[in-house]
Amino acid sequence: MASHTASHLAPGTAAATATTTAPSTATSAATTTAPSTQTLTVGFDLDMTLIDSRPGIKAAYEELSARTGTPIDAELAITRLGPPLEQELAHWFPDERIEEMGDLYRELYPEFAIAPTLAMPGAREAMAAVRRAGGRAIVVTAKHEPNAKLHLSHLGIEADAVIGWLWAEAKAEALREYGASVYVGDHTGDVRGARTAEALSVAVATGPCAAEELREAGADVVLDDLTAFPAWLEAHTAA
Protein backbone atom coordinates (compact mmCIF):
# COMPACT_ATOMS: atom_id res chain seq x y z
CA MET A 1 0.00 0.00 0.00
CA ALA A 2 0.27 1.10 -0.20
CA SER A 3 3.30 2.54 1.34
CA HIS A 4 2.79 3.85 4.20
CA THR A 5 1.43 6.23 4.61
CA ALA A 6 4.29 6.14 4.59
CA SER A 7 2.92 4.38 2.75
CA HIS A 8 6.35 6.68 3.32
CA LEU A 9 8.87 5.48 3.71
CA ALA A 10 20.45 1.64 3.93
CA PRO A 11 20.51 -1.49 2.97
CA GLY A 12 21.66 -3.61 5.90
CA THR A 13 20.57 -3.28 9.47
CA ALA A 14 21.92 0.14 10.39
CA ALA A 15 19.43 2.92 10.96
CA ALA A 16 19.45 5.71 8.39
CA THR A 17 18.32 9.27 9.05
CA ALA A 18 16.18 10.49 6.17
CA THR A 19 16.12 14.01 4.89
CA THR A 20 14.66 13.41 1.46
CA THR A 21 11.29 14.67 0.37
CA ALA A 22 8.16 12.57 0.51
CA PRO A 23 6.74 10.53 -2.36
CA SER A 24 4.92 12.50 -4.97
CA THR A 25 4.36 12.44 -8.67
CA ALA A 26 7.93 13.58 -9.31
CA THR A 27 10.41 11.38 -11.14
CA SER A 28 12.36 8.98 -8.93
CA ALA A 29 15.75 7.64 -9.97
CA ALA A 30 15.96 3.85 -10.06
CA THR A 31 18.39 2.22 -7.70
CA THR A 32 19.97 0.09 -10.41
CA THR A 33 20.25 0.27 -14.16
CA ALA A 34 17.02 -0.82 -15.78
CA PRO A 35 17.13 -3.90 -17.98
CA SER A 36 17.10 -3.38 -21.73
CA THR A 37 15.79 -6.82 -22.66
CA GLN A 38 12.24 -8.08 -22.82
CA THR A 39 12.65 -10.34 -19.79
CA LEU A 40 9.45 -10.83 -17.82
CA THR A 41 9.44 -8.15 -15.13
CA VAL A 42 6.86 -8.11 -12.36
CA GLY A 43 6.54 -5.15 -10.04
CA PHE A 44 5.26 -5.43 -6.48
CA ASP A 45 4.02 -2.80 -4.07
CA LEU A 46 5.45 -3.07 -0.55
CA ASP A 47 3.12 -2.13 2.33
CA MET A 48 0.23 -4.57 2.70
CA THR A 49 1.28 -6.36 -0.50
CA LEU A 50 4.65 -7.88 0.39
CA ILE A 51 4.81 -6.82 4.03
CA ASP A 52 2.37 -6.29 6.88
CA SER A 53 3.85 -3.07 8.16
CA ARG A 54 0.92 -2.17 10.41
CA PRO A 55 2.63 -3.15 13.71
CA GLY A 56 5.76 -1.23 12.80
CA ILE A 57 4.01 1.85 11.47
CA LYS A 58 1.80 1.92 14.56
CA ALA A 59 4.90 1.87 16.77
CA ALA A 60 6.51 4.65 14.73
CA TYR A 61 3.41 6.84 15.01
CA GLU A 62 3.19 6.23 18.73
CA GLU A 63 6.82 7.30 19.14
CA LEU A 64 6.23 10.37 16.95
CA SER A 65 3.26 11.27 19.16
CA ALA A 66 5.35 10.83 22.32
CA ARG A 67 8.23 12.91 20.95
CA THR A 68 6.03 15.79 19.80
CA GLY A 69 3.26 15.72 22.40
CA THR A 70 0.72 15.60 19.58
CA PRO A 71 -2.11 13.05 19.87
CA ILE A 72 -2.08 10.62 16.92
CA ASP A 73 -4.60 7.81 16.58
CA ALA A 74 -2.12 5.21 15.37
CA GLU A 75 -4.78 2.50 15.16
CA LEU A 76 -6.75 4.67 12.74
CA ALA A 77 -3.66 5.67 10.76
CA ILE A 78 -2.74 2.07 9.97
CA THR A 79 -6.15 1.50 8.38
CA ARG A 80 -5.22 4.07 5.71
CA LEU A 81 -1.89 2.73 4.49
CA GLY A 82 -1.00 3.39 0.88
CA PRO A 83 -0.84 7.11 0.13
CA PRO A 84 2.23 9.22 0.92
CA LEU A 85 3.10 9.87 4.55
CA GLU A 86 2.32 13.57 4.30
CA GLN A 87 -1.34 12.85 3.59
CA GLU A 88 -1.64 11.06 6.93
CA LEU A 89 0.41 13.63 8.84
CA ALA A 90 -1.98 16.32 7.62
CA HIS A 91 -4.65 14.77 9.88
CA TRP A 92 -2.51 15.46 12.96
CA PHE A 93 -0.23 18.44 12.29
CA PRO A 94 -0.67 21.92 10.79
CA ASP A 95 0.62 22.42 7.25
CA GLU A 96 3.71 24.31 8.35
CA ARG A 97 4.92 21.35 10.46
CA ILE A 98 4.29 18.51 8.02
CA GLU A 99 7.71 18.56 6.35
CA GLU A 100 9.47 18.64 9.72
CA MET A 101 7.31 15.82 11.10
CA GLY A 102 7.84 13.76 7.97
CA ASP A 103 11.60 14.01 8.42
CA LEU A 104 11.31 13.07 12.09
CA TYR A 105 9.03 10.12 11.33
CA ARG A 106 11.47 8.77 8.75
CA GLU A 107 14.32 9.21 11.21
CA LEU A 108 12.44 7.22 13.86
CA TYR A 109 11.23 4.57 11.43
CA PRO A 110 14.28 2.24 11.31
CA GLU A 111 14.39 1.92 15.10
CA PHE A 112 10.69 1.43 15.72
CA ALA A 113 9.08 0.05 12.55
CA ILE A 114 11.41 -2.52 11.01
CA ALA A 115 11.51 -5.28 13.65
CA PRO A 116 7.72 -5.54 14.27
CA THR A 117 6.86 -5.78 10.56
CA LEU A 118 6.02 -9.19 9.10
CA ALA A 119 6.11 -10.68 5.62
CA MET A 120 2.66 -11.11 4.10
CA PRO A 121 1.60 -14.73 3.49
CA GLY A 122 2.99 -15.85 0.16
CA ALA A 123 5.37 -12.90 -0.27
CA ARG A 124 8.59 -14.86 -0.62
CA GLU A 125 6.88 -17.50 -2.72
CA ALA A 126 5.50 -14.86 -5.09
CA MET A 127 8.95 -13.41 -5.68
CA ALA A 128 10.36 -16.91 -6.19
CA ALA A 129 7.63 -17.70 -8.71
CA VAL A 130 8.71 -14.77 -10.87
CA ARG A 131 12.28 -16.04 -10.89
CA ARG A 132 11.18 -19.60 -11.69
CA ALA A 133 9.50 -18.12 -14.75
CA GLY A 134 12.82 -16.57 -15.74
CA GLY A 135 11.74 -13.10 -14.72
CA ARG A 136 12.76 -10.16 -12.55
CA ALA A 137 10.88 -9.09 -9.40
CA ILE A 138 11.08 -5.40 -8.55
CA VAL A 139 9.51 -3.38 -5.75
CA VAL A 140 7.93 -0.01 -6.54
CA THR A 141 6.64 1.78 -3.47
CA ALA A 142 5.64 5.16 -2.10
CA LYS A 143 7.78 4.46 0.96
CA HIS A 144 11.06 6.25 1.68
CA GLU A 145 13.41 4.07 -0.32
CA PRO A 146 16.09 3.40 2.33
CA ASN A 147 13.42 2.22 4.75
CA ALA A 148 11.85 0.01 2.09
CA LYS A 149 15.24 -1.65 1.61
CA LEU A 150 15.60 -2.14 5.37
CA HIS A 151 12.27 -3.98 5.47
CA LEU A 152 13.20 -6.32 2.65
CA SER A 153 16.65 -7.03 4.08
CA HIS A 154 15.24 -7.70 7.56
CA LEU A 155 12.64 -10.13 6.19
CA GLY A 156 14.92 -11.84 3.68
CA ILE A 157 12.81 -10.83 0.69
CA GLU A 158 15.10 -10.38 -2.30
CA ALA A 159 14.18 -7.93 -5.04
CA ASP A 160 16.06 -7.25 -8.25
CA ALA A 161 15.48 -3.53 -7.77
CA VAL A 162 13.78 -1.31 -5.19
CA ILE A 163 12.35 2.03 -6.30
CA GLY A 164 10.81 4.28 -3.68
CA TRP A 165 9.05 7.62 -3.37
CA LEU A 166 6.48 6.88 -6.11
CA TRP A 167 2.73 6.86 -5.54
CA ALA A 168 -0.22 5.98 -7.76
CA GLU A 169 0.21 7.14 -11.37
CA ALA A 170 3.84 8.12 -10.70
CA LYS A 171 4.66 4.42 -10.18
CA ALA A 172 4.33 4.09 -13.94
CA GLU A 173 7.69 5.87 -14.31
CA ALA A 174 9.58 2.97 -12.73
CA LEU A 175 7.33 0.32 -14.24
CA ARG A 176 8.02 1.64 -17.72
CA GLU A 177 11.73 2.10 -17.07
CA TYR A 178 12.09 -1.51 -16.00
CA GLY A 179 9.75 -2.86 -18.64
CA ALA A 180 7.30 -4.32 -16.11
CA SER A 181 4.35 -6.04 -17.76
CA VAL A 182 2.62 -6.87 -14.44
CA TYR A 183 2.22 -4.79 -11.29
CA VAL A 184 0.90 -6.32 -8.07
CA GLY A 185 -0.56 -4.13 -5.34
CA ASP A 186 -3.26 -3.83 -2.71
CA HIS A 187 -4.48 -0.25 -3.27
CA THR A 188 -6.51 1.50 -5.94
CA GLY A 189 -3.48 3.75 -6.33
CA ASP A 190 -1.51 0.68 -7.40
CA VAL A 191 -4.17 -0.12 -9.98
CA ARG A 192 -3.87 3.40 -11.36
CA GLY A 193 -0.09 3.07 -11.53
CA ALA A 194 -0.32 -0.21 -13.43
CA ARG A 195 -2.88 1.14 -15.88
CA THR A 196 -0.85 4.30 -16.49
CA ALA A 197 2.14 2.08 -17.31
CA GLU A 198 -0.05 -0.14 -19.52
CA ALA A 199 0.91 -3.08 -17.32
CA LEU A 200 -1.45 -5.81 -16.18
CA SER A 201 -2.91 -4.84 -12.82
CA VAL A 202 -2.96 -7.74 -10.36
CA ALA A 203 -4.57 -6.67 -7.11
CA VAL A 204 -4.48 -8.46 -3.77
CA ALA A 205 -7.26 -7.77 -1.28
CA THR A 206 -4.91 -7.63 1.70
CA GLY A 207 -4.80 -3.87 2.28
CA PRO A 208 -7.30 -1.08 2.90
CA CYS A 209 -9.20 -1.62 -0.37
CA ALA A 210 -11.80 -4.36 -0.69
CA ALA A 211 -11.82 -6.70 -3.68
CA GLU A 212 -14.84 -5.02 -5.27
CA GLU A 213 -13.23 -1.59 -4.90
CA LEU A 214 -10.12 -2.87 -6.63
CA ARG A 215 -12.20 -4.31 -9.47
CA GLU A 216 -14.10 -1.06 -9.87
CA ALA A 217 -10.79 0.80 -10.05
CA GLY A 218 -9.86 -1.30 -13.07
CA ALA A 219 -7.78 -4.19 -11.74
CA ASP A 220 -7.40 -6.90 -14.36
CA VAL A 221 -7.05 -9.65 -11.77
CA VAL A 222 -8.02 -9.68 -8.08
CA LEU A 223 -6.55 -12.33 -5.79
CA ASP A 224 -7.38 -12.94 -2.16
CA ASP A 225 -3.70 -12.74 -1.26
CA LEU A 226 -0.24 -13.53 -2.61
CA THR A 227 -0.55 -17.24 -1.88
CA ALA A 228 -2.63 -17.42 -5.07
CA PHE A 229 -0.05 -15.55 -7.16
CA PRO A 230 2.32 -18.41 -8.19
CA ALA A 231 -0.51 -20.44 -9.73
CA TRP A 232 -1.87 -17.35 -11.47
CA LEU A 233 1.57 -16.46 -12.86
CA GLU A 234 2.14 -19.99 -14.11
CA ALA A 235 -1.15 -19.88 -16.01
CA HIS A 236 -0.44 -16.36 -17.26
CA THR A 237 2.98 -17.18 -18.66
CA ALA A 238 1.70 -20.39 -20.23
CA ALA A 239 -1.09 -18.61 -22.08
Side-chain angles (χ1 to χ4, degrees):
M1 54 60 328
S3 227
H4 159 27
T5 63
S7 228
H8 347 264
L9 285 202
T13 57
T17 299
T19 56
T20 55
T21 55
S24 67
T25 57
T27 300
S28 170
T31 55
T32 61
T33 302
S36 58
T37 66
Q38 294 303 308
T39 300
L40 169 69
T41 300
V42 178
F44 291 86
D45 177 48
L46 186 63
D47 291 291
M48 303 312 299
T49 297
L50 289 173
I51 66 172
D52 184 352
S53 51
R54 290 173 296 183
I57 289 174
K58 180 175 181 289
Y61 275 128
E62 289 172 343
E63 182 63 19
L64 181 65
S65 178
R67 295 279 184 104
T68 62
T70 300
I72 297 174
D73 187 342
E75 289 283 1
L76 176 60
I78 62 173
T79 68
R80 301 190 288 223
L81 301 188
L85 170 64
E86 281 66 21
Q87 292 188 25
E88 183 61 41
L89 292 178
H91 292 289
W92 314 109
F93 296 96
D95 289 348
E96 63 271 16
R97 297 197 68 198
I98 289 176
E99 182 177 356
E100 174 195 359
M101 292 301 100
D103 287 344
L104 177 57
Y105 176 93
R106 294 184 183 95
E107 180 181 345
L108 296 170
Y109 197 92
E111 180 179 356
F112 293 93
I114 301 300
T117 292
L118 306 171
M120 293 293 283
R124 297 181 184 87
E125 293 82 358
M127 303 287 268
V130 175
R131 296 196 175 93
R132 279 199 307 274
R136 293 172 175 266
I138 67 172
V139 174
V140 183
T141 174
K143 191 179 289 297
H144 177 58
E145 191 174 293
N147 288 341
K149 290 178 177 179
L150 284 176
H151 274 304
L152 295 171
S153 176
H154 178 75
L155 293 170
I157 299 174
E158 297 183 8
D160 293 293
V162 180
I163 306 96
W165 306 302
L166 295 175
W167 160 242
E169 288 84 354
K171 291 188 174 189
E173 298 166 13
L175 296 174
R176 288 185 183 126
E177 183 176 1
Y178 281 82
S181 58
V182 177
Y183 185 58
V184 185
D186 65 281
H187 199 282
T188 55
D190 299 323
V191 177
R192 300 201 307 272
R195 294 181 68 83
T196 301
E198 298 182 341
L200 195 73
S201 172
V202 177
V204 285
T206 50
C209 301
E212 187 56 35
E213 185 179 0
L214 294 165
R215 290 189 189 94
E216 290 175 355
D220 298 293
V221 177
V222 179
L223 305 175
D224 288 342
D225 57 35
L226 283 180
T227 63
F229 180 80
W232 174 85
L233 183 66
E234 183 177 2
H236 173 67
T237 54

